[in-house]
Amino acid sequence: QVQLVESGGGLVQAGGSLRLSCKASGRFKSINHMAWYRQAPGKQRELVAHITSGEDTRYADAVTGRFTISRDFVTNTIYLQMNSLKSEDTAVYYCNAEIYVELAYRDYWGRGTQVTVSS
């Protein structure tokens, strides 16, 4: 069974930093892209950062210049370094990955980790 497990969320003051991690585990052939999404209360889930198998990255405008996504291909882990955090970054952050399982690429999600930024 393939799982994505996030960690690293918590409470931080505005201007502070946090580093999120997401590790993929289980039986699979390969991972295509991986990404971080977030969902704030009363809002739709939105893409925060995305990284391809070739390590190309893209970011939401709201986090460009403050957040950095990176990937460890050995441990099948992605990270999200979040700096200069703002109250509007408060949300549940979800890991997403497209993983090759049973002859097809399938979409997987983690359960999420809460990030709360106090002003």
Side-chain angles (χ1 to χ4, degrees):
Q1 184 179 1
V2 176
Q3 284 189 315
L4 297 176
V5 179
E6 303 101 333
S7 61
L11 174 64
V12 64
Q13 288 189 330
S17 298
L18 279 176
R19 189 190 194 209
L20 305 183
S21 300
C22 169
K23 181 175 175 58
S25 63
R27 294 174 62 89
F28 53 87
K29 286 285 189 180
S30 63
I31 301 175
N32 192 9
H33 67 257
M34 300 185 79
W36 288 98
Y37 285 74
R38 67 185 180 187
Q39 187 166 18
K43 295 189 176 181
Q44 288 189 331
R45 191 173 297 190
E46 62 177 0
L47 177 68
V48 176
H50 178 277
I51 186 165
T52 69
S53 57
E55 297 190 273
D56 293 322
T57 60
R58 58 185 173 95
Y59 299 90
D61 290 343
V63 307
T64 297
R66 299 187 298 122
F67 290 11
T68 302
I69 189 171
S70 60
R71 182 168 175 173
D72 183 332
F73 290 89
V74 175
T75 62
N76 295 311
T77 302
I78 58 168
Y79 302 94
L80 186 68
Q81 178 66 43
M82 305 186 294
N83 298 328
S84 303
L85 283 160
K86 306 175 181 179
S87 57
E88 50 262 45
D89 294 318
T90 295
V92 178
Y93 284 70
Y94 296 92
C95 178
N96 168 260
E98 190 177 56
I99 301 176
Y100 194 78
V101 177
E102 296 178 352
L103 303 179
Y105 276 105
R106 304 174 191 275
D107 213 32
Y108 289 87
W109 291 89
R111 292 187 176 184
T113 184
Q114 177 71 47
V115 171
T116 303
V117 184
S118 63
S119 55

